[in-house]
C-alpha cells in the first residue's frame, strides 16, 4: 500500500471509529441524568438551533427552536407542562433562525430573520411573547442571509438588537438598532465587523454592552449609551473568536464566553463595560492528541448562581462534532465533560430551574433537537412531627446530600386532603426541618414531597400523623439574642412554654464557639430532655 493510500485509510478509520466519550455524564451531588429524548413538531421532523430559558419569576421553562421540512422553514415555542413540552406559539413559514435575547425577569422576547423574495436577503424581526402568544412583530431592517449572527437585549425602557451583516453593502458589517416604542426602531452608525459573532447585554435602562469579534478582529466591545457609541480598546490576542454569548452576573457585570480555533473555551467577566482576565476552560476529550478545528456556540445558564452552567460545541479536523458541559463547583470550574450521547451534535443550550436541576438541549446534526435534565435521587427518611397544638416541628433526613434541592411540606387537617404549606431548600447537609406555627385543635397528617419540574421524577414520602390528644413532644420555637444572652424558647403541648437560657458573653458580642453539627446535637439532646420532662408523671396529691 502506498503512502497516500495508507494516510487515507488512517483518516477514514479516524472518521468512523473515533469515540466521542465513554461512560455516564456526571451529575451534581444527589442527582442523576435522565436519558436524552427527541423533540419534534407537527409536519416538521427537523428542529434546529434550540434555545432554553428558565424564568424564575414565573417558574416557566421555555424552549424555542427553528424548524425545517425539506425546504419549508418555520419556528416554534414550547413550555414545559408537568411531564412534557407543550407547544405555545408558532411564527410562520419562511422563518430562518431564532437568536438569543436577554429579557428582564417575567418577560420573554424573540429575535429572528425570515426570507424575503430574494434568496440572499432576509428581514430582521423582533417580538415579545405573553401568555404563550406572539405579540406585535416589529421589522427592524433588511439583512443578508448567508452567515448572519444576531443578538438582542431588553431593559424596562429600551430594546436593542445587533447583527453581523456580512453583505449589507456597508463599510462596516456590524449594525446596531434600538427602540423605545413598539413598532419604531432606529439604526445607530457603528464600527466593527462581527463576522465571528455578536452579543448584547444591558448595563442600565438606556445603555447596552455590545461584544463582538471574528476572523478579521480580536475581542471587541463597545457601549451604546443613549445614542452615543463608545468603543473600547480591542484585544487582538483573541483573533478568530467565534460565537460570543453575554449573560448578566448576579453580583454585577456580565459573564462573556466565546469559542476559539483551539481546544479551550474562553470566559471573562466584564465589569463596568470592560473585560477582566480570561479563564480558559478545558474538556475531557477522549483522545488527548485530538487536533481541533475550534470550540464554538457557547451557552450560559441565567440564574442567581455565582458561576453559571456552561455548554459549548467543539469540532476536530476530521469533522467530528460534539458538546462539552461544565458544572461549576464552589471552588470554580472543573474540567468539562464531553456529553457521551451527543454524537455529531451542535448548538447546545442550558438552563437551571428553581429546583437546581440542569436542563440541556442540542441539535443533532441533520436530525432534530434532543434534550435531557438532571433530577434529585435523594429521598426523605425518618420523617417526624413533634410539638404542641400551637407549634410543631416537622423534621426529616435525606438519604444523601442534594444541595439546592427543594422539598414541599404537605399537611392535611382532619379529613381534608393534604395541601402544600411550606417549601424547604436543602443545603450541604442532610437534615431538614420546618416549624408549623398554625394553631391546630384536631389531628393532622404530614408528608414531604421532593420537587421536580418533570413530575415523573417527583417523589412523596409516607404519611406521618400528629394528634393533639396524645402529643407530648417539645418543639424549638425561637432562638433570639437579648441583651447579650442567647435565648432558646421551646413550646410543649398544652401551651406551656419552657425557656432554658444558654449564655456566653464577651466584651463586644456573643461568641458562637460550637460548630454547627455539635450545636445541632446539643440542641437535640436538650430537646429530648425537655420531652422527657413533659412526659413526667403528675405529682401525687396529698
Amino acid at each position: 500500500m502506498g503512502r497516500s493510500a495508507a494516510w487515507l485509510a488512517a483518516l477514514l478509520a479516524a472518521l468512523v471509529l473515533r469515540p466521542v466519550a465513554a461512560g455516564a455524564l456526571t451529575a451534581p451531588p444527589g442527582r442523576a441524568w435522565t436519558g436524552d429524548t427527541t423533540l419534534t413538531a407537527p409536519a416538521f421532523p427537523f428542529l434546529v438551533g434550540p434555545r432554553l430559558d428558565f424564568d424564575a419569576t414565573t417558574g416557566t421553562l421555555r424552549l424555542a427552536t427553528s424548524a425545517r421540512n425539506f425546504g419549508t422553514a418555520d419556528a416554534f415555542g414550547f413550555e414545559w407542562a408537568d411531564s412534557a413540552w407543550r407547544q405555545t406559539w408558532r411564527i410562520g413559514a419562511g422563518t430562518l433562525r431564532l437568536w438569543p435575547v436577554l429579557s428582564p425577569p417575567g418577560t420573554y422576547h424573540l429575535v429572528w430573520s425570515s426570507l424575503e423574495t430574494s434568496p440572499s436577503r432576509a428581514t430582521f424581526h423582533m417580538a415579545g411573547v405573553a401568555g404563550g402568544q406572539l405579540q406585535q412583530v416589529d421589522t427592524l431592517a433588511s439583512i443578508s442571509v448567508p452567515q448572519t449572527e444576531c443578538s438582542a437585549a431588553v431593559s424596562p425602557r429600551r430594546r436593542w438588537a445587533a447583527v453581523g451583516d456580512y453583505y449589507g453593502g456597508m463599510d462596516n458589517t456590524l449594525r446596531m438598532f434600538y427602540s423605545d416604542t413598539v413598532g419604531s426602531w432606529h439604526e445607530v452608525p457603528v464600527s466593527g465587523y462581527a463576522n465571528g459573532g455578536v452579543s448584547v447585554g444591558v448595563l442600565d435602562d438606556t445603555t447596552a454592552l455590545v461584544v463582538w469579534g471574528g476572523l478579521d478582529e480580536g475581542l471587541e466591545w463597545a457601549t451604546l449609551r443613549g445614542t452615543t457609541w463608545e468603543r473600547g480598546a480591542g484585544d487582538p490576542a483573541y483573533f478568530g473568536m467565534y460565537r460570543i454569548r453575554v449573560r448578566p452576573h448576579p453580583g454585577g457585570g456580565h459573564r462573556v464566553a466565546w469559542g476559539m480555533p483551539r481546544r479551550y473555551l474562553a470566559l471573562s467577566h466584564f465589569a463596568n463595560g470592560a473585560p477582566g482576565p480570561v479563564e480558559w476552560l478545558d474538556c475531557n476529550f477522549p483522545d488527548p492528541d485530538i487536533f481541533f478545528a475550534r470550540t464554538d456556540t457557547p451557552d450560559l445558564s441565567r440564574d442567581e448562581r455565582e458561576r453559571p452552567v456552561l455548554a459549548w460545541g467543539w469540532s476536530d479536523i476530521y469533522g467530528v462534532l460534539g458538546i462539552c458541559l461544565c458544572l461549576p463547583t464552589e471552588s470554580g470550574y472543573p474540567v468539562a465533560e464531553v456529553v457521551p450521547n451527543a454524537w455529531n451534535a451542535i448548538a447546545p443550550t442550558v438552563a437551571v430551574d428553581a429546583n437546581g436541576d440542569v436542563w440541556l438541549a442540542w441539535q443533532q446534526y441533520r436530525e432534530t433537537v434532543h434534550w435531557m435534565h438532571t433530577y434529585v435521587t435523594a429521598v426523605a427518611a425518618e420523617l417526624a412531627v413533634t410539638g404542641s397544638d400551637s407549634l410543631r416541628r416537622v423534621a426529616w433526613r435525606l438519604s444523601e446530600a442534594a444541595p439546592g434541592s427543594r422539598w414541599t411540606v404537605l399537611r392535611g387537617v382532619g379529613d381534608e386532603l393534604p395541601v402544600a404549606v411550606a417549601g424547604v431548600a436543602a443545603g450541604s447537609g442532610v437534615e431538614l426541618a420546618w416549624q408549623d406555627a398554625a394553631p391546630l385543635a384536631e389531628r393532622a397528617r404530614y408528608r414531604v414531597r421532593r420537587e421536580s419540574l418533570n413530575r415523573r421524577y417527583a417523589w412523596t414520602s409516607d404519611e406521618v400523623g400528629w394528634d393533639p390528644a396524645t402529643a407530648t413532644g417539645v418543639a424549638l420555637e425561637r432562638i433570639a439574642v437579648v441583651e447579650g444572652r442567647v435565648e432558646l424558647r421551646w413550646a410543649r403541648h398544652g401551651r406551656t412554654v419552657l425557656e432554658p437560657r444558654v449564655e456566653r458573653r464577651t466584651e463586644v458580642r456573643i461568641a458562637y464557639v460550637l460548630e454547627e453539627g455539635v450545636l445541632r446535637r446539643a440542641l437535640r439532646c436538650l430537646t429530648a430532655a425537655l420531652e422527657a420532662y413533659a412526659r413526667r408523671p403528675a405529682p401525687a396529691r396529698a
Side-chain angles (χ1 to χ4, degrees):
M1 181 183 293
R3 181 176 300 177
S4 298
W7 181 88
L8 180 59
L11 176 59
L12 291 175
L15 285 170
V16 175
L17 300 177
R18 179 182 297 275
V20 171
L25 187 63
T26 301
R31 301 175 194 258
W33 284 97
T34 66
D36 70 290
T37 305
T38 58
L39 179 66
T40 58
F44 285 89
F46 307 111
L47 301 183
V48 299
R51 281 181 43 223
L52 282 170
D53 289 280
F54 179 74
D55 189 337
T57 302
T58 61
T60 305
L61 179 68
R62 300 182 177 95
L63 189 150
T65 177
S66 303
R68 302 289 184 269
N69 185 6
F70 303 106
T72 304
D74 208 326
F76 295 88
F78 300 85
E79 290 185 2
W80 186 262
D82 290 333
S83 58
W85 291 106
R86 175 176 59 89
Q87 183 186 325
T88 54
W89 52 262
R90 178 178 181 178
I91 291 180
T95 305
L96 291 177
R97 184 168 179 180
L98 297 166
W99 299 93
V101 181
L102 289 180
S103 305
T107 68
Y108 188 57
H109 293 79
L110 304 169
V111 64
W112 71 93
S113 56
S114 60
L115 283 172
E116 294 181 357
T117 54
S118 169
S120 63
R121 302 299 298 172
T123 306
F124 195 20
H125 300 285
M126 189 170 180
V129 175
Q133 301 297 316
L134 201 65
Q135 304 301 295
Q136 178 177 326
V137 176
D138 285 357
T139 299
L140 281 67
S142 175
I143 59 176
S144 62
V145 170
Q147 300 177 318
T148 299
E149 173 90 349
C150 306
S151 179
V154 179
S155 79
R157 292 178 52 188
R158 178 165 288 189
R159 295 179 293 168
W160 298 270
V163 57
D165 195 0
Y166 291 175
Y167 307 106
M170 303 170 62
D171 292 336
N172 300 307
T173 55
L174 176 64
R175 300 176 67 184
M176 191 73 199
F177 307 85
Y178 76 92
S179 169
D180 295 327
T181 306
V182 174
S184 177
W185 284 84
H186 310 278
E187 184 168 2
V188 178
V190 299
S191 58
Y193 292 98
N195 57 10
V198 60
S199 193
V200 183
V202 177
L203 292 179
D204 59 46
D205 281 358
T206 57
T207 306
L209 168 68
V210 187
V211 185
W212 73 94
L215 301 177
D216 300 316
E217 51 199 342
L219 174 65
E220 301 286 347
W221 69 93
T223 58
L224 180 58
R225 196 174 304 275
T227 59
T228 303
W229 179 257
E230 299 177 5
R231 187 163 176 172
D235 191 338
Y238 305 105
F239 176 85
M241 62 186 298
Y242 193 67
R243 294 290 192 256
I244 302 99
R245 290 292 178 266
V246 171
R247 286 290 183 272
H249 186 263
H254 293 78
R255 293 280 193 178
V256 181
W258 63 88
M260 290 291 292
R262 62 185 73 172
R263 66 178 290 155
Y264 302 101
L265 183 81
L267 178 67
S268 179
H269 183 88
F270 274 58
N272 300 317
V278 172
E279 183 176 0
W280 296 101
L281 304 184
D282 200 1
C283 197
N284 66 338
F285 298 106
D287 184 351
D289 298 322
I290 193 169
F291 292 97
F292 282 87
R294 67 169 56 252
T295 54
D296 61 19
T297 59
D299 194 33
L300 302 85
S301 65
R302 187 181 176 190
D303 51 71
E304 293 303 312
R305 299 184 180 194
E306 171 68 20
R307 298 179 181 88
V309 175
L310 285 115
W312 64 90
W314 60 270
S315 60
D316 66 14
I317 62 172
Y318 303 109
V320 175
L321 305 170
I323 290 173
C324 291
L325 178 69
C326 192
L327 303 177
T329 66
E330 292 183 357
S331 59
Y333 284 105
V335 174
E337 291 185 79
V338 173
V339 179
N341 47 334
W343 170 262
N344 274 348
I346 58 176
T349 178
V350 288
V352 178
D353 66 25
N355 302 312
D357 282 318
V358 178
W359 292 70
L360 173 67
W362 66 88
Q363 174 194 341
Q364 206 75 12
Y365 186 60
R366 293 183 177 177
E367 199 188 305
T368 190
V369 167
H370 290 233
W371 61 272
M372 58 193 293
H373 66 84
T374 63
Y375 63 94
V376 176
T377 54
V379 296
E382 303 176 25
L383 178 63
V385 183
T386 58
S388 68
D389 51 359
S390 61
L391 180 69
R392 291 153 307 286
R393 184 174 187 267
V394 183
W396 64 98
R397 185 181 183 87
L398 301 184
S399 59
E400 58 182 319
S405 60
R406 301 192 67 85
W407 302 78
T408 298
V409 179
L410 307 172
R411 182 186 65 206
V413 179
D415 296 327
E416 297 176 356
L417 293 175
V419 296
V421 292
V424 179
S428 58
V430 296
E431 294 184 359
L432 300 178
W434 173 70
Q435 300 278 18
D436 186 359
L440 291 181
E442 54 184 322
R443 62 184 178 84
R445 307 172 323 278
Y446 291 86
R447 290 183 172 185
V448 292
R449 182 177 66 213
R450 180 185 72 199
E451 293 296 350
S452 175
L453 207 60
N454 188 341
R455 287 299 180 187
R456 287 177 289 185
Y457 296 93
W459 174 90
T460 304
S461 72
D462 292 335
E463 191 173 86
V464 172
W466 177 88
D467 191 337
T470 59
T472 58
V474 176
L476 182 63
E477 184 180 53
R478 186 184 65 174
I479 300 178
V481 178
V482 180
E483 297 180 354
R485 294 191 306 273
V486 178
E487 292 190 357
L488 307 177
R489 179 185 177 97
W490 280 264
R492 71 172 183 179
H493 177 62
R495 300 181 183 177
T496 301
V497 175
L498 307 172
E499 294 187 338
R501 292 180 178 177
V502 180
E503 298 184 19
R504 179 176 178 84
R505 297 173 181 269
T506 67
E507 293 182 359
V508 293
R509 67 182 186 279
I510 295 172
Y512 295 90
V513 297
L514 295 176
E515 295 182 0
E516 181 184 359
V518 177
L519 181 60
R520 186 183 296 116
R521 288 194 293 272
L523 292 177
R524 190 183 300 127
C525 292
L526 186 53
T527 301
L530 289 169
E531 288 178 340
Y533 173 77
R535 290 193 296 268
R536 77 192 191 286
R541 294 186 178 181

